[in-house]
């Protein structure tokens, strides 16, 4: 069995303007890192479908989804919020990014791949039920998790978020009462830092660990072992989703934490061991942030290589 690598050229065409840190070169750097590390021959390379309205509506307000479909420009650029814009390719890119998670769920549950990495953009974890935010249009990981629960009849899934920023959108969606028994979200994030949320625990299914700037692998390891793992062991998720942002890397341009590639390898191995115990090894990992192209490429390759060894 192999690791699925799910990506689409549409995700390279979404462009929010000159100088924007969430740029097409990020995804190009991730793809290139897979090639130079010799990983591509080991991976099951797949192109995702576009997520349909009904898929997005499981976690987003229908009026918001409609607004994105209606306001997508055919030329030029429209600004959705201070940080997030759409060009003529952004709607397709956002639907492919969400569609990648749906395809990953299908692949892994059908046993065609043991786990999956979705190399997609725009990223997703800041998008709330009703709004774009922080470079995110649709909440890709939330769309995928809701699909696994609603259409694939899983009872419990975990969402692990190791991006340097708090996944406020994912928390917004799954802290709702109807999801609390079925979704456990664990995260760490730099605090205080954008989006300045996650420190008051909103719901019992949210395990958030705020960490100060300059926190390194030792601090992250302690957070995971002391806070995440006991909750995850009790919850026994049937599938594990990862919001895989690599902007907690010490070379990142936006984040102020101090992780290195070896820390991403340790986290991936730890989560894979958890998945082996409770989830039949099922992991769907989706790219979130990461803004130093070299560090992003190396970290993503280390993460995917570790997934492929499982
Ligand atoms: Zn981030």
């Amino acid at each position: 069995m192999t690791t699925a690598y799910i990506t689409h050229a549409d995700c390279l065409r979404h462009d929010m303007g000159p100088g924007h840190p969430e740029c097409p070169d990020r995804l190009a750097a991730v793809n290139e890192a897979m090639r130079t590390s010799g990983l591509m021959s080991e991976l099951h390379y797949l192109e995702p479908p576009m997520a349909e309205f009904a898929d997005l509506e499981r976690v987003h307000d229908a009026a918001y989804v409609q607004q994105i479909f209606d306001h997508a420009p055919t030329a030029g650029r429209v600004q959705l919020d201070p940080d997030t814009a759409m060009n003529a390719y952004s709607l397709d890119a956002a639907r492919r990014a969400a569609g990648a998670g749906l395809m990953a769920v299908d692949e892994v549950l059908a046993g065609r791949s043991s786990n999956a990495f979705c190399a997609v953009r725009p990223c997703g974890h800041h998008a709330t039920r009703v709004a774009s935010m922080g470079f995110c249009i649709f909440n890709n990981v939330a769309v995928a998790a809701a699909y696994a629960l609603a259409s694939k009849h899983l009872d419990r899934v975990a969402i692990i978020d190791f991006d340097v920023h708090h996944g406020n959108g994912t928390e917004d969606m799954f802290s709702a009462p109807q999801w609390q028994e079925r979704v456990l979200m664990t995260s760490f994030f730099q605090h205080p830092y954008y989006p300045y949320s996650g420190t008051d625990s909103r719901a019992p299914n949210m395990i958030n660990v705020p960490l100060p700037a300059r926190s390194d692998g030792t601090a992250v390891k302690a957070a995971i072992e002391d806070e995440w793992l006991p909750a995850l062991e009790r919850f026994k998720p049937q599938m594990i989703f990862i919001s895989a942002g690599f902007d907690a890397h010490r070379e990142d341009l936006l984040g102020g934490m101090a992780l290195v590639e070896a820390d991403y390898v340790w986290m991936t191995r730890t989560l894979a061991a958890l998945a082996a115990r409770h989830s039949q090894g099922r992991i769907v990992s989706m790219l979130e942030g990461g803004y130093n192209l070299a560090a992003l490429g190396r970290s993503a390759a280390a993460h995917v290589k570790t997934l492929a060894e499982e």
Side-chain angles (χ1 to χ4, degrees), residues 1-240:
M1 287 248 281
T2 53
T3 294
Y5 185 81
I6 307 179
T7 193
H8 199 282
D10 283 347
C11 295
L12 290 161
R13 299 186 182 109
H14 160 61
D15 190 338
M16 295 193 280
H20 199 296
E22 207 290 89
C23 58
D25 285 350
R26 295 180 56 246
L27 181 52
V30 171
N31 287 333
E32 183 58 22
M34 299 301 148
R35 278 190 287 272
T36 54
S37 61
L39 267 169
M40 286 314 287
S41 59
E42 292 179 41
L43 303 174
H44 187 195
Y45 188 93
L46 294 167
E47 289 196 342
M50 290 196 202
E52 297 297 337
F53 199 100
D55 299 313
L56 302 167
E57 212 188 353
R58 283 194 197 97
V59 291
H60 289 287
D61 192 68
Y64 170 66
V65 179
Q66 192 64 54
Q67 178 199 330
I68 296 297
F69 276 62
D70 290 348
H71 292 168
T74 50
R77 209 172 270 125
V78 295
Q79 202 70 31
L80 297 175
D81 62 63
D83 302 319
T84 318
M86 293 178 89
N87 71 354
Y89 303 101
S90 299
L91 177 60
D92 285 358
R95 292 179 65 194
R96 297 281 185 201
L102 303 172
M103 177 182 243
V105 168
D106 284 341
E107 278 298 303
V108 171
L109 284 180
R112 290 188 292 271
S113 300
S114 32
N115 50 40
F117 181 71
C118 302
V120 292
R121 54 185 291 281
C123 37
H125 72 155
H126 296 307
T128 71
R129 277 193 74 245
V130 296
S132 67
M133 186 173 159
F135 318 159
C136 304
I137 299 174
F138 298 130
N139 194 318
N140 308 318
V141 82
V143 169
Y147 173 65
L149 292 168
S151 290
K152 295 291 177 174
H153 310 297
L154 295 190
D155 295 322
R156 294 176 316 282
V157 303
I159 301 176
I160 316 292
D161 190 324
F162 58 61
D163 190 278
V164 79
H165 303 97
H166 175 235
N168 63 294
T170 315
E171 174 169 290
D172 170 65
M173 290 159 170
F174 292 123
S175 54
Q178 74 267 29
W179 297 110
Q180 285 184 13
E181 303 284 309
R182 303 183 69 195
V183 179
L184 177 70
M185 179 178 178
T186 71
S187 73
F188 66 77
F189 48 87
Q190 184 180 332
H191 176 76
Y193 194 44
Y194 182 90
Y196 305 100
S197 56
T199 42
D200 354 292
S201 199
R202 291 171 46 157
N205 59 329
M206 296 290 149
I207 310 292
N208 293 331
V209 187
L211 293 172
R214 290 182 289 284
S215 293
D216 62 5
T218 306
V220 161
K221 200 171 172 185
I224 290 174
E225 288 178 338
D226 299 346
E227 310 280 340
W228 289 9
L229 292 179
L232 287 161
E233 292 287 350
R234 278 195 301 275
F235 185 71
K236 299 184 174 41
Q238 294 164 301
M239 189 164 204
I240 292 176

